[in-house]
Amino acid sequence: MAGSDPDPLLRLRQSIAANNAPITTSPTSGSDGTENLAIATHLQFNNPNVSYPLDTPTRFISSDKPVDLRSIWFAWQKKDVAIPDYIASAQALNEELALIDGASKVQNLVFVERLDLITWLEGASEESEYIKGLESDATAARSAQVASGAAGGVSTVPSGAAGTRGGRTIDPRLQEIYNGERRMGDRNSVLRGIKPTDFSHVRKIAETFLSRSRPSKSLTQTPNPTSLVSLPKPLPPQKPPSSHTRRPDPIILLSPSASSLLRMSNIKSFLSDGLYAPPQTSTTAANILHISRLLPTIDAHRPLRFILVDTPEQFKPDYWNRVVAVFTTGQTWQFKGYKWQSPTELFKECLGVYVGWRGEDIPATVRGWGRGVVSVGVEKWNPGMAGGVQGRWRDREVVEGIWGRVEEWMRGKGWGKEGGMGR
């Protein structure tokens, strides 16, 4: 049946969480659906069995306009591809759509919007700055206002109106219940009653007490510096930190150099599993990764979620406050486009990490950057190594050493349970 749920975005998130992804269908595809978004017309969910047209606008807002369901589903399908591949795929799909009907079009989401959408859909975040709230949330807020009297309430039903309510005939027993209803009010209506009350006399009484605590005119005209003590001004009240504030995720930047031992294709297995493997030469590697790591001296109960990228092209200005480490090969062209392009200045603000082969000399440029860069070495990759993967037990020692330095640096920069430091 056609989808009656006004929020297909929430249903898509729930189906992803249940590992029951929907399928795209067309009038000629049958029950198996079609993977071609150019000819697909609906997004079909299995449990419950509902479908939504792909041109349905969603609550995700981009450039002050709602993004349609086709663009949302396309962005989720391409969540693991690099930015150039995502843009090229969107252009190719738009060309196909133009040949079919000329009206439909896939919206190309920018890096930050796409990252925020994927994070929300996979359940890693409970809120998104690009997603409008549900109508049910607004209805609940209005109901709370009615209950408090701020937006009016239920007026008392006169007995003469028995048998009717809003032009409808109702059961007499239900009418008796309505007759017992009373209007809910707020504190103003309770204090003032049905007519205004003048409290000006209270102000006059309070003035007599306040005048006793004020200094006399003689003291204010001829102050004695030895008898008067200058009291410090009270600090303005500060808001307690909100328990619902989302903790910012720290960011680790990798080197995009082809000579780097750690790239987007092998960094996750290295930092998460403590196992080094050569980077893949494929260009379809993900352009953003997430790693969770428990750092006991910062938060002993919740793991921190790190974001790994190899380029700051899509950074917002405040993202640089969250960069905690930069992996480098010693090539200074890597820092072109960084907020701090000088290596000396960069590694005062972020921890530098150089990973090379064990037993080989550290480049002179890296040594010249001083104590802000930690240098480590891993065993050279040998597919025929005795013991296979188990023979690379030293990789775990290297990884734990890197995480130890990252934790020490973050603690020294003021990172805590509720978030990072400000620069």
Side-chain angles (χ1 to χ4, degrees):
M1 66 176 180
S4 59
D5 190 340
D7 185 41
L9 198 61
L10 181 59
R11 188 173 295 279
L12 176 59
R13 186 185 189 211
Q14 293 170 345
S15 66
I16 292 173
N19 198 21
N20 188 14
I23 61 173
T24 51
T25 62
S26 68
T28 60
S29 63
S31 59
D32 294 334
T34 177
E35 296 183 357
N36 189 351
L37 272 179
I39 63 174
T41 59
H42 287 72
L43 190 63
Q44 175 76 38
F45 293 87
N46 297 326
N47 188 19
N49 186 18
V50 294
S51 65
Y52 298 90
L54 287 176
D55 56 359
T56 303
T58 67
R59 292 185 294 120
F60 193 90
I61 305 301
S62 174
S63 301
D64 298 328
K65 295 181 180 179
V67 180
D68 62 359
L69 189 57
R70 188 192 305 270
S71 301
I72 297 294
W73 179 243
F74 177 76
W76 172 254
Q77 285 185 315
K78 303 297 182 181
K79 63 185 178 68
D80 294 326
V81 304
I83 294 177
D85 295 336
Y86 168 72
I87 296 174
S89 299
Q91 292 176 347
L93 180 56
N94 284 332
E95 292 175 359
E96 291 186 59
L97 289 169
L99 295 175
I100 294 176
D101 59 6
S104 302
K105 184 179 180 181
V106 168
Q107 184 169 346
N108 185 9
L109 302 180
V110 299
F111 173 80
V112 178
E113 294 173 342
R114 182 165 159 243
L115 170 62
D116 199 85
L117 172 65
I118 293 172
T119 303
W120 187 83
L121 286 176
E122 65 186 7
S125 171
E126 293 299 326
E127 57 187 14
S128 169
E129 60 179 298
Y130 300 99
I131 299 179
K132 292 199 309 183
L134 289 168
E135 286 295 329
S136 58
D137 297 338
T139 304
R142 288 195 297 270
S143 301
Q145 290 179 346
V146 171
S148 65
V154 181
S155 58
T156 303
V157 179
S159 59
T164 62
R165 186 175 178 87
R168 297 183 290 106
T169 302
I170 61 175
D171 188 275
R173 292 174 295 179
L174 184 58
Q175 185 64 51
E176 289 298 324
I177 297 176
Y178 289 151
N179 291 340
E181 294 178 349
R182 62 184 179 88
R183 179 185 294 274
M184 301 295 293
D186 58 8
R187 58 179 183 175
N188 293 322
S189 62
V190 172
L191 288 174
R192 295 184 179 276
I194 59 175
K195 56 184 179 180
T197 304
D198 185 10
F199 289 101
S200 60
H201 66 284
V202 179
R203 186 183 305 160
K204 296 179 180 179
I205 297 174
E207 185 67 25
T208 61
F209 291 96
L210 295 175
S211 62
R212 296 177 185 176
S213 61
R214 293 173 181 169
S216 63
K217 289 185 178 180
S218 59
L219 288 177
T220 57
Q221 293 173 356
T222 57
N224 183 0
T226 60
S227 61
L228 296 180
V229 179
S230 177
L231 298 177
K233 293 183 180 180
L235 295 175
Q238 298 181 353
K239 288 185 177 181
S242 173
S243 59
H244 301 289
T245 302
R246 179 183 172 187
R247 179 172 65 182
D249 297 333
I251 299 174
I252 296 177
L253 273 169
L254 302 182
S255 171
S257 173
S259 63
S260 176
L261 299 186
L262 294 173
R263 303 288 301 279
M264 294 296 290
S265 59
N266 66 342
I267 186 65
K268 190 167 186 178
S269 63
F270 183 69
L271 292 181
S272 294
D273 305 328
L275 177 65
Y276 175 80
Q280 300 176 4
T281 57
S282 173
T283 59
T284 59
N287 61 305
I288 182 169
L289 297 171
H290 300 95
I291 290 179
S292 295
R293 174 79 181 192
L294 185 67
L295 303 182
T297 61
I298 295 178
D299 191 340
H301 303 288
R302 289 187 303 166
L304 275 79
R305 184 170 178 263
F306 289 82
I307 297 177
L308 280 70
V309 293
D310 61 357
T311 174
E313 290 179 355
Q314 303 293 336
F315 270 24
K316 291 182 178 180
D318 61 309
Y319 281 19
W320 287 105
N321 297 335
R322 295 156 51 187
V323 177
V324 297
V326 176
F327 280 73
T328 180
T329 59
Q331 298 166 301
T332 55
W333 61 262
Q334 172 188 347
F335 312 132
K336 186 178 181 180
Y338 281 24
K339 179 180 179 180
W340 307 283
Q341 297 186 11
S342 169
T344 304
E345 183 181 4
L346 172 64
F347 296 122
K348 287 182 181 178
E349 303 293 337
C350 313
L351 176 67
V353 181
Y354 170 79
V355 179
W357 295 125
R358 185 186 298 271
E360 292 189 355
D361 294 336
I362 300 173
T365 54
V366 176
R367 292 199 306 269
W369 293 338
R371 298 168 57 186
V373 181
V374 54
S375 300
V376 296
V378 296
E379 298 288 346
K380 288 189 176 182
W381 175 257
N382 183 5
M385 177 183 294
V389 173
Q390 297 180 356
R392 301 198 61 88
W393 55 270
R394 288 187 176 179
D395 292 347
R396 172 64 66 179
E397 293 182 355
V398 174
V399 170
E400 293 301 322
I402 293 175
W403 279 119
R405 290 296 300 272
V406 171
E407 181 176 4
E408 178 184 355
W409 184 93
M410 292 177 65
R411 187 174 65 252
K413 289 292 185 177
W415 280 78
K417 293 182 178 180
E418 301 304 326
M421 42 81 74
R423 294 190 175 106

